[in-house]
Amino acid sequence: MFSKALVAVDSSPAASAVVACARDLHRLGTKKAVLVQCFMIPEHVAFPDEIKSSVEESLEPHRRHFHERGIETEIIA
């Protein structure tokens, strides 16, 4: 159906449910997933490297989950 999927995740149970569907996405033809975590930061605050690193680290288990089910995964933080 779709060869690439954008998957917005956070620490909610809903995000975990979406990640749990990786095997089904693969069966539907998804070859690549792009994981992204978005949240609001006041405009006057910079996005320090520490925050980016923390976001990437929190998305790593999701990336592994997709990878183990045959879906190439990219993290955007």
Side-chain angles (χ1 to χ4, degrees):
M1 181 181 267
F2 298 103
S3 63
K4 188 184 236 184
L6 175 64
V7 183
V9 295
D10 56 17
S11 58
S12 72
S16 296
V18 169
V19 171
C21 293
R23 188 176 311 262
D24 295 323
L25 287 171
H26 187 257
R27 287 183 190 141
L28 291 171
T30 302
K31 303 285 187 238
K32 181 172 185 177
V34 178
L35 298 178
V36 63
Q37 183 172 8
C38 300
F39 50 92
M40 297 202 43
I41 298 177
E43 292 180 26
H44 63 278
V45 175
F47 193 72
D49 289 336
E50 299 85 43
I51 293 174
K52 181 177 179 181
S53 176
S54 176
V55 168
E56 289 172 344
E57 185 178 313
S58 73
L59 294 178
E60 182 57 26
H62 297 317
R63 188 204 63 75
R64 277 194 313 272
H65 184 83
F66 277 90
H67 180 75
E68 290 166 0
R69 280 141 188 89
I71 300 175
E72 175 188 349
T73 309
E74 174 184 356
I75 292 176
I76 297 179

